[in-house]
Amino acid sequence: MKGIAAAIGVVVLAPFLLGGTAMMMASSSEATTNASFSGCLTGIDTDKVTKEVTKILDGADAKNVHIQGLDLPAEQIPNAQTIVATGISLDVPKKGQIIAIATAMQESRLRNLNSGDRDSLGLFQQRPSQGWGTAQQIRDPVHASEQFYKHLLKVDGWQQMKVTQAAQTVQKSGYPDAYAQWEDLATALQKAVAATFPSAGKGEPTKAKDEDAESSVGGCAPDKDGTSFGRISEGSVPKGYTIPKDAHPKARKAIEWAMHQLGTMYQWGGSCTHAHGPDPMGRCDCSSLMQQAYAHADVKLTRTTYTQVNEGKAVSAKNLKPGDLIFSRGTAARPEHVGMYMGEGLVIEAPRTSKPVRITPIKDWDVLAVRHVL
């Protein structure tokens, strides 16, 4: 299998790989710039990226090629192509290839670095001391890509995870949310590069374009992450918060009712029908808070987190609206926690045993799925 991937990589990438290793290697100081990147590359024009990628593959001067997010396309495009070619040779689905490209963008900016944090090397900053291979092997983009895919394919349920969660499960990075910012670019690059391989995508199930776009949580977080309110005392409404004026009337009712439960203690299995009463089973758990809040807005929801994740319509985390249900913990297909988006970067939730119903910034959430129930 390695021979197939290597052959694809050498045949297609030879003009670039023979250009010398100097361009392919960078200093560790360059690698450390990844952690501080705070951009959010959204709205990538895939057709434009495809056009620019094709120029590079056809041997155009990189000075005349411009792709948002890529500073060194002459180096980065061939590395992206190696990642995709290796994925195709291993029969890795398109999403796996996107995860791999997004990971390499974050770890090395798609450069084959010869140094990094401690003994980290290569496209994915893999470490010889952690069993990823010898230093020489890791600096081989085909080997590095193969190793990433082999670890990814061992992750249970990776195809249901969002890109950043799947990448983090493999990489165990100190910046677990950073991979999300590259998802749109990685998606465009995968599509552009895969188009150069006639067999790419054959045998994969197809999806409608709009369904594919909406089934994923997406890359970047909402514009507001809730941090502007500072520290929020448990059980209180942060000073200055008001329900957004453009909130759906039923969402407004649900949020208002949920806010009246602030400060009441969590009860696993509680019905949330009398949260302020003496019976513990009348208090709220995460999903009963959602159910009862919407019941008071004349919207019927099912009882558990596992079923509420199928309510309404999936939307991107970049398009959150007040009243949307936000899911975390576990996997996107089977999350273990749910809260309600209040707008302004805030979420109301019944968190866990010994904690009260509270408002938290969405920054503190690892969002696996979002459902619009109105």
Side-chain angles (χ1 to χ4, degrees), residues 110-342:
L110 271 174
R111 295 169 298 165
N112 195 13
L113 304 179
N114 66 353
S115 59
D117 178 48
R118 285 169 286 191
D119 58 337
S120 299
L121 299 166
L123 290 174
F124 299 92
Q125 288 292 278
Q126 296 158 339
R127 299 176 59 192
S129 63
Q130 299 298 314
W132 291 92
T134 66
Q136 182 178 4
Q137 287 174 324
I138 291 172
R139 283 195 292 265
D140 171 6
V142 173
H143 172 89
S145 299
E146 281 185 344
Q147 288 300 307
F148 179 85
Y149 286 130
K150 288 177 180 178
H151 282 73
L152 175 66
L153 295 176
K154 290 178 182 178
V155 176
D156 185 34
W158 70 267
Q159 292 197 62
Q160 285 72 51
M161 295 180 181
K162 60 180 182 176
V163 168
T164 192
Q165 183 188 23
Q168 172 61 8
T169 302
V170 174
Q171 297 294 108
K172 299 177 176 59
S173 167
Y175 303 91
D177 300 320
Y179 304 103
Q181 63 197 335
W182 303 110
E183 181 173 352
D184 283 5
L185 176 59
T187 300
L189 287 174
Q190 189 280 333
K191 181 177 180 180
V193 171
T196 67
F197 299 106
S199 62
K202 287 186 178 180
E204 285 196 39
T206 58
K207 274 188 170 184
K209 183 177 180 181
D210 57 346
E211 179 187 353
D212 199 23
E214 291 185 343
S215 64
S216 171
V217 170
C220 304
D223 291 337
K224 297 181 180 179
D225 62 8
T227 56
S228 62
F229 292 99
R231 183 180 179 279
I232 304 172
S233 299
E234 288 192 338
S236 68
V237 179
K239 185 177 180 180
Y241 170 79
T242 58
I243 300 174
K245 293 180 180 180
D246 62 350
H248 189 288
K250 290 188 176 183
R252 179 178 295 275
K253 285 186 178 180
I255 293 170
E256 287 176 345
W257 190 89
M259 288 171 66
H260 280 97
Q261 317 316 310
L262 285 168
T264 61
M265 296 305 291
Y266 175 97
Q267 175 61 51
W268 186 85
S271 65
C272 202
T273 53
H274 198 189
H276 294 275
D279 181 2
M281 297 311 294
R283 298 173 189 167
C284 310
D285 65 14
C286 65
S287 55
S288 65
L289 177 63
M290 303 298 105
Q291 183 188 47
Q292 290 303 313
Y294 266 111
H296 285 77
D298 297 320
V299 176
K300 185 177 181 180
L301 296 182
T302 51
R303 172 63 181 86
T304 69
T305 303
Y306 303 135
T307 54
Q308 287 176 1
V309 75
N310 297 312
E311 299 277 5
K313 179 181 180 181
V315 296
S316 167
K318 293 175 283 188
N319 297 312
L320 277 171
K321 295 181 179 180
D324 284 349
L325 302 186
I326 300 177
F327 298 85
S328 69
R329 306 175 196 165
T331 68
R334 194 172 174 80
E336 298 172 0
H337 186 56
V338 61
M340 183 184 297
Y341 187 61
M342 303 171 63

Side-chain angles (χ1 to χ4, degrees), residues 349-369:
E349 63 169 345
R352 61 180 183 275
T353 301
S354 79
K355 291 290 185 179
V357 174
R358 65 186 183 183
I359 295 172
T360 55
I362 197 170
K363 172 182 172 293
D364 294 344
W365 283 66
D366 180 18
V367 180
L368 299 177

